Amino acid sequence: IALGADVAVDETQLNAFLDSLKYDDKGLVCAIAQDVDTGAILMQGFASRDAVAYTLRNRKATFWSRSRSELWCKGETSGNFIGVESVHVDCDRDSLIYLGVPTGPTCHTGAHTCYYKRVDGRDGAAAKVDGGRHAAEEALTTLYELEATIEARRVEAVADDVKPSWTRRLLDNPELLCKKIREEAGELCQTWEENEGKEAATNEMADVLYHSMVMLNKQGVPMSDVLAVLRRRFGTSGVDEKAARPPKKLIDPSK
Amino acid sequence: IALGADVAVDETQLNAFLDSLKYDDKGLVCAIAQDVDTGAILMQGFASRDAVAYTLRNRKATFWSRSRSELWCKGETSGNFIGVESVHVDCDRDSLIYLGVPTGPTCHTGAHTCYYKRVDGRDGAAAKVDGGRHAAEEALTTLYELEATIEARRVEAVADDVKPSWTRRLLDNPELLCKKIREEAGELCQTWEENEGKEAATNEMADVLYHSMVMLNKQGVPMSDVLAVLRRRFGTSGVDEKAARPPKKLIDPSK
Ligand SMILES: [Zn+2]
Ligand SMILES: [Zn+2]
Ligand SMILES: [Zn+2]
Ligand SMILES: [Zn+2]
Ligand SMILES: [Zn+2]
Ligand SMILES: [Zn+2]
Ligand SMILES: [Zn+2]
Ligand SMILES: [Zn+2]
Ligand SMILES: [Zn+2]
């Protein structure tokens, strides 16, 4: 579904779904916007019945602004919308995930996500955002923590008499990096060829992923771009692959 | 920090942090538990001042149960705790992420996460959970959607007169799969060796990742296990790598 596209909504099904939610005493459910590619939690707000309906009709993350007491389609002033690919409801129906693709930084501070401060960190007034990459205190999951670690190795000063980190050595010696990538891919294959077992396969895949990500850093490619490519290939009908799921019906809370 | 370990907390700093949160009229902030390895949103609840303090002291995700009006350390009855690695606060300080590692299924239904129903899906009473893998309607981000797609290819029936998907052909012919993995690793290296540019590097990395993930499926290894390995290698001091971040101080909201 194209972002912002008009989606034909079955009004009966939509109303049945909206009726099924467990609103609080203010008529709201919790709504969490999550980046479909990276898994980053972008922001959290609350949604009224109308906000949920607006989100499903327009495929843009929409909330109820408690401060302004009005419907708020995130991005309508900033232009930084969150396109919604799918909506998920939790077990007791009082909380939603808007899973989608942001068109720009989500936070009004310019940060990638609103969660750019760590409790145990230096709680500065301004978010540290460097060129679209992650802020230092963002809630990074393992893959993006690794990406940030590799970047930190690239930029860190290494004194002449100190042995540089393995990552830095690979970045400074791309021939070695290429040799390692080919070697690790071979070792992953060998885990099957030599029947080495799951633990070996897990470790070799970690090697492949790490060394490939050093190569991405070397070429200035963020991991999120790779995931966006995979989403386009597999999320819609790829060259050889069909979508994993049956065709999307917008609302069917019939059972 | 080991899960559940007693952490020395600076009481002054802890109180300053707790004071800085913007509680609602019931004295609560929103708290979202997220899997640090996969990025999956596990559950969402609300946290009182005491619940946040308990979480930071004990490194276990803790909420205020609005139905029972009591502090609720998730897992204290089920045994399925969520170990908390770090806590992040949003820009207006009324919402937290508990980023951590679940010790078992988070949902009381036995599902991996509480968000196992898609609005546009079949809203059945029971979550579809197959052996610890993902439920069909879970809020899967791109990497786990791809993992689920590969698994769907593995189990789908293919009629004799229908050309199988590329994924299925790779799964049925591991020699071909190994050949492809080695080839794609080489093509990723070539993007640097031949100076082919960022777009080529992005596409070749997507090829490497996809083919490697088919190999993981072939050997029954979930991607989350690979990320857990990477977290253990890079999150704490690895053989050659130091932690990317300065040593963790639990609370320092001094600025
Ligand atoms: Zn709920
Ligand atoms: Zn914000
Ligand atoms: Zn970020
Ligand atoms: Zn290896
Ligand atoms: Zn907030
Ligand atoms: Zn649940
Ligand atoms: Zn799952
Ligand atoms: Zn190729
Ligand atoms: Zn290729």
Side-chain angles (χ1 to χ4, degrees):
Chain A
I1 297 167
L3 302 188
D6 256 340
V7 179
V9 174
D10 182 314
E11 291 299 321
T12 309
Q13 289 188 332
L14 177 59
N15 279 307
F17 171 69
L18 296 170
D19 288 345
S20 78
L21 292 178
K22 208 174 83 190
Y23 302 96
D24 69 9
D25 53 6
K26 296 186 182 69
L28 302 173
V29 292
C30 184
I32 304 163
Q34 184 179 28
D35 188 310
V36 66
D37 286 331
T38 66
I41 298 175
L42 300 169
M43 63 168 287
Q44 175 266 318
F46 294 90
S48 58
R49 182 187 172 102
D50 286 351
V52 179
Y54 192 95
T55 300
L56 287 166
R57 282 183 212 279
N58 298 281
R59 296 274 147 175
K60 286 175 180 159
T62 302
F63 304 88
W64 177 256
S65 167
R66 293 186 298 179
S67 56
R68 288 175 286 123
S69 291
E70 61 181 27
L71 212 62
W72 173 49
C73 177
K74 154 86 189 114
E76 64 189 356
T77 35
S78 67
N80 295 326
F81 294 95
I82 300 172
V84 174
E85 302 258 316
S86 59
V87 174
H88 303 259
V89 59
D90 79 340
C91 54
D92 63 352
R93 308 191 77 84
D94 62 359
S95 189
L96 301 174
I97 297 175
Y98 293 160
L99 193 64
V101 182
T103 60
T106 293
C107 189
H108 68 283
T109 61
H112 170 216
T113 99
C114 286
Y115 298 86
Y116 55 80
K117 290 178 187 174
R118 208 163 71 172
V119 170
D120 48 341
R122 300 149 302 282
D123 190 353
K128 290 169 225 145
V129 181
D130 44 31
R133 296 294 184 97
H134 309 288
E137 299 181 20
E138 219 179 291
L140 294 181
T141 53
T142 298
L143 202 60
Y144 302 92
E145 182 73 40
L146 174 57
E147 183 175 57
T149 302
I150 293 168
E151 174 66 7
R153 294 290 170 275
R154 186 181 71 79
V155 300
E156 77 188 351
V158 180
D160 281 346
D161 56 346
V162 173
K163 195 181 162 209
S165 67
W166 176 238
T167 302
R168 182 61 166 268
R169 284 166 62 198
L170 292 169
L171 287 168
D172 289 347
N173 185 349
E175 291 79 11
L176 174 62
L177 176 56
C178 288
K179 183 170 167 289
K180 285 301 298 179
I181 289 171
R182 290 183 170 98
E183 187 180 296
E184 295 300 343
E187 288 171 7
L188 174 61
C189 294
Q190 276 173 39
T191 62
W192 181 78
E193 292 161 343
E194 315 278 340
N195 199 18
E196 294 171 2
K198 287 188 187 195
E199 197 183 328
T202 310
N203 283 315
E204 293 306 334
M205 180 61 180
D207 289 343
V208 168
L209 202 45
Y210 160 70
H211 287 90
S212 304
M213 286 177 72
V214 176
M215 174 56 90
L216 288 187
N217 179 283
K218 185 77 196 165
Q219 303 202 45
V221 174
M223 194 63 188
S224 55
D225 282 5
V226 176
L227 290 165
V229 164
L230 287 170
R231 171 166 45 84
R232 277 181 234 114
R233 282 194 203 167
F234 292 93
T236 58
S237 56
V239 175
D240 193 286
E241 290 294 335
K242 289 161 288 180
R245 291 168 171 171
K248 290 188 181 180
K249 271 181 70 183
L250 187 57
I251 310 281
D252 182 7
S254 50
K255 276 168 297 302
Chain B
I1 297 168
L3 302 188
D6 255 339
V7 179
V9 175
D10 181 315
E11 292 297 323
T12 310
Q13 289 190 332
L14 177 59
N15 279 308
F17 170 68
L18 295 171
D19 286 345
S20 78
L21 293 179
K22 208 176 84 190
Y23 302 96
D24 69 11
D25 53 5
K26 297 187 180 69
L28 302 173
V29 292
C30 183
I32 303 163
Q34 184 179 29
D35 188 310
V36 65
D37 286 332
T38 66
I41 297 175
L42 299 170
M43 62 167 287
Q44 175 265 319
F46 294 90
S48 59
R49 184 188 170 101
D50 286 350
V52 179
Y54 192 95
T55 300
L56 287 166
R57 283 184 211 280
N58 298 282
R59 295 276 147 174
K60 286 175 182 160
T62 301
F63 305 87
W64 176 255
S65 167
R66 294 186 298 177
S67 55
R68 286 176 285 124
S69 292
E70 62 181 29
L71 213 62
W72 173 49
C73 177
K74 157 84 193 116
E76 65 189 354
T77 35
S78 67
N80 296 327
F81 295 95
I82 300 172
V84 174
E85 303 258 314
S86 59
V87 174
H88 303 261
V89 60
D90 79 340
C91 52
D92 63 352
R93 308 190 78 83
D94 62 359
S95 189
L96 301 174
I97 295 175
Y98 293 161
L99 193 63
V101 181
T103 60
T106 292
C107 188
H108 68 283
T109 61
H112 170 215
T113 100
C114 287
Y115 298 87
Y116 56 80
K117 291 177 188 177
R118 207 162 74 175
V119 170
D120 48 341
R122 298 149 303 282
D123 189 352
K128 290 170 226 146
V129 182
D130 43 33
R133 297 294 184 97
H134 309 289
E137 299 181 18
E138 220 178 290
L140 295 180
T141 53
T142 298
L143 203 60
Y144 302 92
E145 181 73 40
L146 174 56
E147 183 176 58
T149 301
I150 293 168
E151 173 66 6
R153 293 288 170 278
R154 186 181 71 79
V155 300
E156 76 188 352
V158 180
D160 282 346
D161 55 346
V162 172
K163 197 181 161 207
S165 67
W166 175 238
T167 302
R168 182 62 168 267
R169 284 165 62 198
L170 292 169
L171 287 168
D172 288 346
N173 186 350
E175 292 80 11
L176 174 63
L177 175 57
C178 288
K179 182 170 168 291
K180 284 300 299 179
I181 289 171
R182 290 183 168 100
E183 183 182 300
E184 295 300 342
E187 288 172 7
L188 175 62
C189 295
Q190 277 174 38
T191 63
W192 180 79
E193 292 162 342
E194 315 277 341
N195 199 19
E196 293 171 3
K198 287 188 187 195
E199 197 184 327
T202 310
N203 283 314
E204 293 306 335
M205 180 61 177
D207 288 343
V208 168
L209 201 44
Y210 159 71
H211 287 90
S212 304
M213 286 178 72
V214 176
M215 175 57 90
L216 288 187
N217 179 282
K218 185 76 196 167
Q219 304 202 46
V221 174
M223 193 64 187
S224 55
D225 282 4
V226 176
L227 290 164
V229 164
L230 287 169
R231 171 167 47 85
R232 276 181 236 117
R233 283 194 203 168
F234 293 92
T236 58
S237 56
V239 174
D240 193 286
E241 291 292 337
K242 290 161 290 183
R245 293 169 170 169
K248 290 187 181 182
K249 272 181 66 183
L250 188 56
I251 308 282
D252 181 7
S254 52
K255 275 170 295 300

